[in-house]
């Protein structure tokens, strides 16, 4: 079996106004791609020189399959490029961050303001004993301090591990322990749909299982301020107030780790994806600038939380290196009403808007009248990320949000890739349903199990053939897992996605090839949900599959066998849902739980999820075996 299959492709296309091409940072995709292919090192060398380095690199790239080094021996600090170099330019007083709260409250930080906050907090972290190489866990709501905390770590060379504020205590504890974080930065509360999410309480519960944490920094937002435990907790504001205002950026080697970010694995525990300073900076700077075509006057809004890779690369590092104004907003896209996003676009004059298909489909469902109420004429570029942007959602986004004027950049990439890999560059013809072509800088293919390219119209595995600057360097404390990315299909990086190319080389992403489930754009490992279910007293065994859903892309369906003497019922399903929520957080809660007497297994006892999935979807399990590894 080769793992390939036939796919019927649509041919519709949209051509953007030629003015986009004329003024884009990459005005001619084909030429840029050829230039890259002719001499990849020269291509990246040229881009890297647009950043400020403390010391030059000896070689652009050193590739020792499966290990890459980029900008070898180069010295730099990513925050110098996000902050210092702007505050000595005309951007000094330009807004860097514009934050909106759920109630419409606003906070603005100029580049100079952000720079000062970062330096103070960086010194605050130093006073807690945090130094270069130490791991710091950040578990915060989407407030400016979340961004400040990340930058402060990077400034002093500490390795941040941001955990999304929607995760539960179990997921947080696991990530803290795996990274052996010395300090945790959190807040008393986050706000969601008008309610306070008690982050500090959740963190406290996690901290009963995390002996490595020495100090906890708490941002106190609520009134009256919560009391802190003087033995372990430190107030965020006090820490900054008492800190020295100047904190020069630590000199980092290009290959020093910048951060760890956990992503779901298809088996077992989440993987701590490790990114390094130099290559990540170059890759995210270049893609932020070129793929969104950010210009000096743009107002850039990526709706992701910095707790995900999209937030790391395209809320924080990429856009700040480019020196744009970044909008961030706490809350959800339909609270207090489904017009909040469009209201914000109108109010702030957002020009570039980057969101997820699941949000677009939700807006579609609420109806065209919501965006129609607002003036969206400032928008000039729309982006999408996280899961396939289906043609219907593309059309709606293009017409109802973009007014038929704005190029849509559907960006395919991963926590592991750190930066965009596939998209349709601004100005090129867009094909609904297709993400596009590899960006100049990436070598991508669709192949069979042996790594042979498959013809157009034939589905196969999406791979990246050559290393790229922002690629993951390893999986934290699990280098073997890292190697499997490069060893599953000979000679290439296996993304784990299925894809198909058309005759012009446009790539359509078809979904995951493994046990990861992309729910509302967030990848969830079946194994993690299953083990959360099994940790409940009533459950003997559990198997989890992704079930297609018109809104969320997929939802989680769990098949559960119960312990002897336990009988199922609605009460139990609600209880199991609560149990998973508490441990992993709301994103991982099964939408459906079905109680079964037995789970289908291989002779060696491995649960055959694909059989359950085939049954659920009413298709032949044989069809699925070609789709899943
Ligand atoms: C999926 C998010 C289709 C894909 C940046 C990938 C996409 C996984 C797209 C990575 C897209 C991301 N079209 N699928 N434009 N972007 N994906 O690590 O399955 O959270 O492997 O990174 O999301 O998810 P992650």
């Amino acid at each position: 079996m080769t793992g390939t299959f036939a796919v019927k492709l649509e041919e519709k296309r949209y051509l953007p106004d030629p003015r986009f091409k004329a003024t884009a940072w990459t005005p001619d995709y084909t030429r840029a791609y050829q230039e890259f292919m002719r001499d990849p090192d020269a291509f990246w060398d040229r881009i890297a020189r647009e950043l400020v380095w403390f010391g030059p690199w000896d070689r652009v790239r050193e590739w020792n399959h499966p290990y890459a080094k980029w900008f070898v021996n180069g010295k730099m600090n990513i925050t110098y490029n996000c902050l210092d170099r702007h505050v000595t330019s005309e951007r000094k007083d330009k807004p860097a961050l514009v934050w909106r709260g759920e109630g419409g409250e606003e906070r603005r930080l100029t580049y100079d303001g952000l720079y000062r906050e970062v330096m103070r907090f960086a010194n605050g972290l130093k006073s807690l004993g945090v130094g270069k190489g130490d791991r710091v866990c950040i578990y915060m709501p989407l407030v400016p301090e979340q961004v400040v905390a990340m930058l402060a770590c990077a400034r002093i060379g500490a390795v941040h591990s941001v955990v999304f504020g929607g995760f539960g205590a179990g997921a947080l504890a696991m990530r803290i322990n795996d990274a052996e974080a010395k300090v945790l930065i959190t807040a008393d509360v986050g706000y969601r749909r008008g309610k306070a999410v008690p982050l500090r309480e959740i963190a406290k519960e996690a901290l009963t299982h995390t002996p490595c944490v020495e100090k906890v920094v708490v941002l106190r937002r609520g009134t009256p301020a919560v009391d802190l435990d003087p033995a372990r907790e430190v107030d965020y504001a006090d820490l900054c107030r008492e800190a020295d205002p100047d904190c020069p950026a630590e000199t980092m080697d290009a290959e020093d780790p910048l951060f760890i970010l956990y992503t779901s694995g298809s088996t077992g525990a989440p993987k701590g994806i490790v990114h390094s300073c130099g290559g990540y900076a170059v890759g995210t700077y270049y893609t932020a600038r070129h793929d969104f075509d950010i210009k000096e006057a743009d107002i850039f809004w990526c709706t992701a939380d910095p707790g995900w890779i999209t937030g790391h690369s395209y809320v924080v590092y990429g856009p700040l290196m480019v020196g744009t104004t970044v909008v961030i907003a706490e809350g959800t896209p339909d609270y207090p009403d489904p017009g909040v996003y469009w209201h914000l676009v109108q109010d702030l004059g957002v020009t570039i808007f980057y969101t997820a298909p699941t949000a677009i489909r939700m807006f579609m469902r609420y109806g065209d009248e919501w965006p129609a109420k607002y003036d969206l004429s400032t928008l000039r570029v729309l982006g999408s990320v996280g899961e396939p942007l289906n043609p219907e959602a593309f059309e709606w986004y293009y017409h109802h949000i973009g007014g038929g004027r704005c190029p849509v950049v559907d960006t395919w990439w991963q926590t592991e890739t750190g930066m965009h890999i596939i998209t349709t560059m601004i100005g090129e013809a867009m094909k609904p349903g297709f993400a596009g072509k590899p960006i100049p800088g990436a070598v991508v293919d669709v192949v069979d199990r042996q790594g042979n390219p498959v013809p157009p119209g034939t589905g196969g595995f999406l791979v990246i053939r050559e290393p790229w600057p922002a690629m993951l360097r390893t999986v934290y404390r699990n280098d073997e897992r890292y190697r499997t990315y490069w060893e599953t299909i000979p000679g290439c990086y296996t993304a784990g996605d299925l894809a198909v190319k058309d005759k012009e080389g446009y790539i359509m992403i078809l979904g995951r090839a493994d046990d990861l489930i992309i729910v509302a754009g967030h990848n969830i490992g079946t194994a993690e949900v299953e083990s959360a279910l099994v940790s409940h007293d009533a459950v003997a065994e559990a198997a989890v599959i992704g079930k297609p859903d018109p809104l969320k892309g997929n939802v989680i369906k769990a098949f559960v066998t119960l312990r002897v003497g336990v009988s199922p019922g609605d009460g139990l399903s609600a209880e199991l849902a609560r149990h998973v929520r508490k441990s992993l957080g709301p994103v991982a809660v099964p939408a459906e739980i079905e109680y079964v007497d037995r789970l289908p297994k291989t002779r060696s006892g491995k649960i055959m999820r694909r059989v359950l999935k085939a049954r659920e979807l009413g298709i032949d399990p044989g069809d699925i075996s070609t789709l899943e590894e």
Side-chain angles (χ1 to χ4, degrees):
M1 196 156 36
T2 60
T4 63
F5 50 94
V7 183
K8 207 176 158 306
L9 299 176
E10 286 215 31
E11 277 298 311
K12 186 158 181 181
R13 64 171 68 213
Y14 284 100
L15 269 173
D17 189 312
R19 273 176 297 184
F20 279 103
K21 219 176 154 78
T23 59
W25 288 120
T26 301
D28 184 338
Y29 167 81
T30 311
R31 236 187 51 205
Y33 199 84
Q34 283 165 353
E35 185 204 324
F36 155 67
M37 286 300 269
R38 238 188 338 266
D39 190 345
D41 285 7
F43 176 88
W44 286 116
D45 186 88
R46 182 174 54 72
I47 293 165
R49 283 173 198 279
E50 293 175 19
L51 296 178
V52 179
W53 294 75
F54 302 151
W57 50 93
D58 302 329
R59 277 178 310 286
V60 170
R61 143 180 90 152
E62 201 176 278
W63 178 226
N64 248 320
H65 183 277
Y67 298 106
K69 285 186 181 163
W70 284 85
F71 310 106
V72 182
N73 293 325
K75 304 285 182 257
M76 57 99 68
N77 188 299
I78 196 166
T79 72
Y80 195 94
N81 286 285
C82 292
L83 302 168
D84 303 55
R85 78 163 172 154
H86 302 314
V87 302
T88 52
S89 80
E90 277 159 17
R91 295 198 185 112
K92 181 171 181 227
D93 298 318
K94 177 175 177 172
L97 287 181
V98 180
W99 173 86
R100 280 287 177 100
E102 272 200 333
E105 54 287 33
E106 183 175 295
R107 287 173 60 196
R108 282 176 185 250
L109 281 172
T110 61
Y111 271 95
D112 193 51
L114 181 61
Y115 171 64
R116 291 165 192 276
E117 295 247 342
V118 167
M119 289 200 292
R120 281 200 179 265
F121 192 58
N123 279 328
L125 287 175
K126 278 190 186 167
S127 74
L128 298 178
V130 177
K132 193 171 182 168
D134 287 337
R135 274 82 55 213
V136 172
C137 179
I138 301 174
Y139 179 64
M140 293 188 90
L142 215 185
V143 287
E145 287 81 0
Q146 185 192 29
V147 179
V148 170
M150 291 168 74
L151 293 168
C153 289
R155 187 131 188 115
I156 62 174
V159 176
H160 59 68
S161 161
V162 185
V163 177
F164 172 57
F167 276 119
L172 175 61
M174 184 267 135
R175 286 160 175 76
I176 289 175
N177 285 330
D178 189 78
E180 296 166 300
K182 191 166 171 181
V183 166
L184 171 70
I185 307 167
T186 189
D188 51 356
V189 291
Y191 294 102
R192 202 183 146 81
R193 297 184 189 286
K195 286 205 205 102
V197 181
L199 292 178
R200 174 169 168 262
E201 291 304 314
I202 298 169
K204 262 188 175 168
E205 192 181 328
L207 287 167
T208 58
H209 307 286
T210 58
C212 53
V213 174
E214 293 167 15
K215 288 283 177 203
V216 181
V217 181
V218 184
L219 175 74
R220 294 192 282 182
R221 311 175 70 197
T223 38
V226 290
D227 288 331
L228 299 182
D229 164 9
R232 188 172 64 182
E233 291 178 321
V234 186
D235 178 64
Y236 183 102
D238 289 348
L239 193 65
C240 291
R241 198 172 313 115
E242 286 153 23
D244 196 65
D246 288 316
C247 179
E250 184 76 33
T251 298
M252 305 297 288
D253 187 87
E255 282 299 316
D256 280 337
L258 174 63
F259 65 84
I260 303 172
L261 183 62
Y262 286 85
T263 185
S264 300
S266 55
T267 51
K271 300 167 286 189
I273 303 299
V274 179
H275 281 287
S276 65
C277 295
Y280 177 82
V282 173
T284 53
Y285 160 77
Y286 159 68
T287 47
R289 184 167 185 259
H290 286 246
D291 300 349
F292 297 118
D293 195 37
I294 302 177
K295 299 284 168 42
E296 199 57 52
D298 277 311
I299 309 276
F300 181 87
W301 185 17
C302 164
T303 66
D305 187 284
W308 308 108
I309 191 68
T310 303
H312 280 60
S313 301
Y314 302 108
V315 173
V316 183
Y317 292 114
L320 292 179
M321 276 186 283
V322 173
T324 193
T325 294
V326 175
V327 173
I328 52 177
E330 187 176 14
T332 48
D334 58 350
Y335 181 88
D337 66 51
V340 270
Y341 273 23
W342 317 129
H343 195 148
L344 222 157
V345 167
Q346 170 182 290
D347 248 26
L348 299 176
V350 172
T351 58
I352 305 175
F353 179 74
Y354 188 34
T355 197
T358 188
I360 298 167
R361 291 191 297 261
M362 190 196 74
F363 291 130
M364 274 171 82
R365 199 186 53 169
Y366 280 120
D368 312 345
E369 59 272 25
W370 284 102
K373 285 185 197 177
Y374 300 94
D375 176 6
L376 306 181
S377 62
T378 51
L379 288 172
R380 61 175 204 96
V381 174
L382 301 176
S384 172
V385 60
E387 56 184 315
L389 180 64
N390 48 302
E392 299 71 27
F394 176 100
E395 298 278 350
W396 190 86
Y397 198 30
Y398 183 69
H399 292 290
H400 292 280
I401 305 305
R405 251 184 6 257
C406 308
V408 174
V409 288
D410 176 1
T411 57
W412 179 90
W413 59 296
Q414 307 179 297
T415 304
E416 292 88 336
T417 70
M419 64 187 231
H420 299 157
I421 296 293
I422 300 171
T423 195
T424 302
M425 301 290 291
I426 305 278
E428 298 295 314
M430 297 167 275
K431 296 189 180 182
F434 289 83
K437 298 184 186 178
I439 60 160
V443 186
V444 171
D445 212 343
V446 181
V447 302
D448 66 16
R449 268 184 218 290
Q450 284 69 46
N452 307 304
V454 298
T458 301
F461 301 98
L462 183 67
V463 297
I464 308 176
R465 289 209 182 270
E466 295 287 332
W468 63 101
M471 64 187 259
L472 74 165
R473 296 303 195 266
T474 185
V475 174
Y476 195 64
R477 297 199 308 175
N478 191 353
D479 195 59
E480 196 183 324
R481 181 63 193 80
Y482 168 74
R483 289 194 300 271
T484 64
Y485 282 105
W486 289 95
E487 286 165 359
T488 305
I489 294 175
C492 337
Y493 168 87
T494 305
D497 280 23
L498 298 166
V500 59
K501 267 190 199 177
D502 72 1
K503 290 199 188 74
E504 288 180 294
Y506 278 68
I507 296 168
M508 174 184 283
I509 310 295
L510 300 168
R512 292 294 306 178
D514 57 16
D515 286 336
L516 282 186
I517 309 174
I518 311 278
V519 182
H522 301 137
N523 47 11
I524 312 283
T526 51
E528 232 185 332
V529 182
E530 287 162 4
S531 81
L533 284 166
V534 172
S535 72
H536 190 281
D537 287 344
V539 177
E541 272 189 314
V544 157
I545 62 162
K547 190 175 165 178
D549 177 81
L551 201 60
K552 297 187 167 176
N554 294 283
V555 291
I556 297 172
K557 170 151 187 184
F559 296 86
V560 167
T561 64
L562 295 173
R563 285 181 191 244
V564 183
V566 183
S567 58
D570 282 354
L572 181 60
S573 295
E575 163 66 21
L576 292 179
R578 241 189 334 268
H579 184 72
V580 174
R581 175 185 298 262
K582 188 151 184 262
S583 162
L584 298 178
V587 279
V589 174
E592 257 180 74
I593 299 180
E594 184 176 327
Y595 299 96
V596 293
D597 294 333
R598 234 174 320 111
L599 294 172
K601 288 185 187 166
T602 61
R603 254 181 271 174
S604 63
K606 260 183 94 178
I607 295 172
M608 296 166 79
R609 293 184 192 84
R610 66 186 165 83
V611 172
L612 292 167
K613 187 157 180 177
R615 209 185 282 158
E616 188 68 34
L617 305 184
I619 54 178
D620 177 356
D623 293 344
I624 284 204
S625 65
T626 58
L627 294 179
E628 295 196 340
E629 304 216 275

